[in-house]
Amino acid sequence: MKKLFYILIIVAVFSSCSEYQRTLKSESIATKFKVGEELYNEGKYTKANRLFAQIVPKYRGKPQAEKLMFLYSNSFYKMKDYYVAGYQFERFTSSYPKSEKLEEASFLSAKSYYMLSPVYSKDQTETKEAIEKLQSFINLFPESEHLPEANKLVKELDFKLEKKAFSIAKQYGDIAPGYSKDFNAAIKSFDNFLFEFPGSVLREDALFYRLDSAYQLAMNSREYKKNVDGVIEHLRKNRLETAKEYYTGFKKSYTDSKYKEEAHAMGESLEEELKKYSTKS
């Protein structure tokens, strides 16, 4: 009995494959549309896509073209070919602005760009483009059933940009041994980060690492020969005072910070160094 069952399965599979091959070679665009849609509904998107690709140009201008173009676009999405899916959905929305599938196609187009967004450590051009596409969808369809997901995706992408900006700023002070650290660049980068992302969950970390960079810059400033001591001393004092300001601001914003002890130690060291300048004057 089992043997007969397996034979029937094999026959069905070969029959299905041969039907598909016959349809690919067929001259009938109606047959290709019918079989392609059946394959699509069965989740066989790659096979369906091959058939759709053969007939899309021939259906242009016909009543069935709208349905075909949506299935064709979505087959790319289901195949995870997001570059082509995004492009094809955009073509669909521009070609059929009154379609009942307009909202869904617009969302899937924007989501295709979201799917192309790389990890935060890489270039974020696609991430910024995805945010623009999703925001455009949100503006066009403020009552959409896809709105909660669209907002969630934008939030994820925004956080990816935050992590990228934060990691760039932090790397200036985390250069590998043997290379010089650029604390000035780190401070400027953290300033930019705090300005661009004022409500970021990474704000505490950014404020601390900006303080740490300013502290390292001030404490590692060296004094030179007597004829230029005045200039160097003045520069170092300014750096110490700036670092102290960052410490005061950090302490005020995060009284119970996870960096509390490290920040406090820096604050005490800065006070000790600044006392030397008050005794000199």
Side-chain angles (χ1 to χ4, degrees):
M1 193 68 181
K2 283 185 178 180
K3 187 176 181 180
L4 177 61
F5 175 72
Y6 289 126
I7 290 172
L8 289 172
I9 290 177
I10 292 169
V11 170
V13 169
F14 276 102
S15 174
S16 173
C17 289
S18 60
E19 181 188 3
Y20 173 66
Q21 292 300 325
R22 282 197 303 271
T23 306
L24 277 174
K25 296 173 184 177
S26 171
E27 296 295 323
S28 171
I29 61 173
T31 300
K32 289 183 178 183
F33 195 158
K34 178 178 175 294
V35 174
E37 187 175 3
E38 288 173 356
L39 290 167
Y40 176 93
N41 291 333
E42 291 171 9
K44 298 173 182 177
Y45 303 112
T46 303
K47 287 185 175 181
N49 181 274
R50 285 188 67 190
L51 290 173
F52 293 153
Q54 289 184 344
I55 60 176
V56 161
K58 297 174 183 178
Y59 268 92
R60 194 165 291 130
K62 295 185 178 182
Q64 307 97 318
E66 180 183 328
K67 180 180 182 180
L68 174 62
M69 282 304 298
F70 182 84
L71 295 178
Y72 183 53
S73 302
N74 206 30
S75 66
F76 282 109
Y77 185 86
K78 296 293 187 181
M79 291 159 57
K80 299 184 179 180
D81 190 344
Y82 299 117
Y83 278 108
V84 180
Y87 169 73
Q88 291 296 345
F89 275 126
E90 284 185 342
R91 284 187 64 197
F92 178 88
T93 57
S94 62
S95 299
Y96 305 101
K98 295 182 179 179
S99 172
E100 64 178 21
K101 289 287 190 179
L102 181 66
E103 181 183 318
E104 185 179 358
S106 298
F107 175 68
L108 289 174
S109 175
K111 191 172 179 180
S112 294
Y113 285 93
Y114 162 83
M115 299 300 290
L116 292 170
S117 173
V119 294
Y120 80 91
S121 57
K122 294 186 177 180
D123 180 79
Q124 293 300 300
T125 301
E126 283 99 342
T127 300
K128 292 173 184 176
E129 190 172 11
I131 291 173
E132 288 178 9
K133 299 291 184 183
L134 284 163
Q135 195 59 58
S136 178
F137 169 79
I138 291 167
N139 294 339
L140 284 171
F141 301 97
E143 304 298 325
S144 172
E145 64 180 88
H146 301 294
L147 195 65
E149 185 179 1
N151 283 322
K152 177 176 173 288
L153 298 181
V154 169
K155 190 174 181 180
E156 285 181 24
L157 295 172
D158 277 335
F159 185 59
K160 195 176 287 188
L161 293 182
E162 288 181 27
K163 288 203 293 183
K164 176 68 174 180
F166 180 84
S167 66
I168 289 172
K170 193 171 182 294
Q171 75 182 7
Y172 286 114
D174 288 341
I175 304 297
Y179 294 84
S180 53
K181 301 173 188 287
D182 193 340
F183 295 118
N184 269 319
I187 293 166
K188 289 176 184 176
S189 293
F190 279 122
D191 280 339
N192 291 336
F193 175 86
L194 292 163
F195 178 77
E196 290 178 31
F197 308 103
S200 173
V201 295
L202 298 171
R203 185 172 182 272
E204 177 183 351
D205 302 272
L207 285 172
F208 173 75
Y209 285 114
R210 183 181 68 169
L211 162 61
D212 181 61
S213 296
Y215 173 81
Q216 297 293 342
L217 183 64
M219 298 300 283
N220 290 311
S221 295
R222 298 187 180 184
E223 296 176 1
Y224 294 91
K225 293 181 181 178
K226 191 172 183 180
N227 63 331
V228 291
D229 269 354
V231 176
I232 299 301
E233 288 271 338
H234 178 67
L235 177 62
R236 186 168 189 269
K237 183 183 178 186
N238 282 348
R239 287 175 172 176
L240 289 166
E241 288 173 341
T242 298
K244 184 184 175 183
E245 285 176 16
Y246 288 159
Y247 168 68
T248 303
F250 177 80
K251 183 180 176 182
K252 186 177 180 180
S253 297
Y254 298 97
T255 54
D256 218 11
S257 171
K258 57 186 175 183
Y259 302 113
K260 184 178 179 179
E261 291 183 9
E262 291 174 78
H264 180 69
M266 289 183 203
E268 288 190 331
S269 295
L270 291 168
E271 284 287 355
E272 288 299 315
E273 289 299 312
L274 283 168
K275 282 179 184 177
K276 296 176 184 177
Y277 289 92
S278 61
T279 56
K280 287 180 183 180
S281 58

